[in-house]
Amino acid sequence: KRSSESSLTLFSHMELSLSHRLFNSSSSLPSLFNSRIKLSQTHLFSLNNHHQKLQFFTGLHHKLATSMEPQTTIPHAFDNGSSITSSETGRIGEVKRTTKETNVHVKINLDGTGVAENNSGIPFLDHMLDQLASHGLFNVHVKATGDIHIDDHHTNEDVALAIGTALLQALGDRKGINRFGDFSAPLDEALVHVSLDLSGRPHLNFDVQIPTQRVGTYDTQLVEHFFQSLVNTSGMTLHIRQLAGKNSHHIIEATFKAFARALRQATEYDLRRGGSVPSSKGVLSRS
């Protein structure tokens, strides 16, 4: 019993020391980490019961983990015909875009777990959006209706515009992020390289040769148009380059997988940056 109490006392000092170091260094961390847990030493050392002490430290660990979760308010997006519908906190963007041709609702959580709920009315596009969620570890929710009785062009475009706007919202002032992402994804004989910069300056370089005009009912020309639309509203510099590939489905899917992983890299936090904007200009904004 004496040895157990001694261990708990040592553990108590370690917990207090860890908390002290975390909170004293919080000014150099991103604002999203800037939460504090107040510990009462009187309460801490008055817990004489072994079971009570263990419960206390379990609760403390939970509070520490919770305090490190992102708590950024969603900023207003620029006007591109979309409206903001979410009042949640965190790196979440939610957009409704309604035109005479389409009705689109998009929600993206950059700190998700890969949950995909996509129903655009275009099965192949939904399959690609599932890749974005799964390999980027984003939660992606897309619901769209459109004039697909004519063709998929308008729905494909407006879904991409809404996703770009949702990304713009979720990124906010872009403080503390890596900003750059680079990834090459193989899929059987296909290999596609994606490099991107969350620069605030929209630019697309699309060097991909898709050998067939369609995959299922999906017009493969719409792949480039999807990324161009997403780039325009998100303020992203995006380079996509095909290194190998003969099968159209493989080439397109490798493109979305590489894009997802590169975007994941770019949106993740760089702790060494301490919450500063990753630019020598001191600002990253949609031009």
Side-chain angles (χ1 to χ4, degrees), residues 57-70:
F57 289 122
T58 300
L60 175 62
H61 286 147
H62 175 72
K63 289 179 182 177
L64 282 170
T66 302
S67 72
M68 300 297 278
E69 292 177 356

Side-chain angles (χ1 to χ4, degrees), residues 80-82 96-104 144-151 153-155 157-158 161:
N80 74 331
S82 303
K96 280 187 177 180
R97 177 182 174 85
T98 303
T99 70
K100 292 181 179 179
E101 298 162 338
T102 64
N103 190 330
V104 178
T145 57
D147 54 359
I148 57 176
H149 60 283
I150 298 174
D151 65 12
H153 183 96
H154 295 142
T155 302
E157 177 182 33
D158 287 357
L161 289 170

Side-chain angles (χ1 to χ4, degrees), residues 47-245:
L47 297 175
N48 295 319
N49 181 275
H50 179 85
H51 181 65
Q52 285 179 319
K53 287 181 180 180
L54 289 178
Q55 283 186 323
F56 178 83
F57 289 122
T58 300
L60 175 62
H61 286 147
H62 175 72
K63 289 179 182 177
L64 282 170
T66 302
S67 72
M68 300 297 278
E69 292 177 356
Q71 294 293 325
T72 306
T73 302
I74 298 173
H76 290 289
F78 70 99
D79 180 16
N80 74 331
S82 303
S83 62
I84 298 170
T85 62
S86 177
S87 59
E88 297 178 55
T89 57
R91 294 203 303 169
I92 297 172
E94 186 171 7
V95 170
K96 280 187 177 180
R97 177 182 174 85
T98 303
T99 70
K100 292 181 179 179
E101 298 162 338
T102 64
N103 190 330
V104 178
H105 180 203
V106 167
K107 184 176 180 180
I108 291 181
N109 184 351
L110 297 181
D111 303 304
T113 56
V115 175
E117 294 180 4
N118 301 306
N119 185 5
S120 67
I122 307 172
F124 185 76
L125 179 60
D126 291 341
H127 180 46
M128 294 303 104
L129 296 177
D130 289 349
Q131 306 311 308
L132 177 61
S134 177
H135 296 281
L137 287 181
F138 310 126
N139 292 350
V140 181
H141 307 269
V142 174
K143 185 176 181 180
T145 57
D147 54 359
I148 57 176
H149 60 283
I150 298 174
D151 65 12
D152 295 340
H153 183 96
H154 295 142
T155 302
N156 180 87
E157 177 182 33
D158 287 357
V159 165
L161 289 170
I163 289 175
T165 305
L167 284 172
L168 183 72
Q169 289 181 32
L171 286 167
D173 55 19
R174 311 187 188 203
K175 287 182 178 179
I177 63 171
N178 287 318
R179 173 180 168 178
F180 298 98
D182 189 276
F183 199 85
S184 294
L187 179 56
D188 295 348
E189 90 296 344
L191 178 62
V192 177
H193 173 239
V194 169
S195 186
L196 62 85
D197 175 11
L198 299 177
S199 60
R201 299 183 301 274
H203 177 82
L204 174 67
N205 183 45
F206 189 82
D207 184 11
V208 179
Q209 293 77 43
I210 304 172
T212 63
Q213 186 176 351
R214 293 189 178 277
V215 173
T217 60
Y218 186 76
D219 184 351
T220 55
Q221 288 184 331
L222 296 180
V223 177
E224 180 175 4
H225 192 57
F226 177 91
F227 284 107
Q228 184 65 69
S229 300
L230 186 151
V231 160
N232 288 345
T233 51
S234 65
M236 179 191 303
T237 300
L238 176 62
H239 290 257
I240 302 175
R241 185 164 54 110
Q242 177 186 342
L243 302 178

Side-chain angles (χ1 to χ4, degrees), residues 124 128 210 215 220 223 247-256:
F124 185 76
M128 294 303 104
I210 304 172
V215 173
T220 55
V223 177
N247 180 281
S248 297
H249 189 133
H250 291 171
I251 293 167
I252 298 170
E253 187 167 334
T255 298
F256 274 83

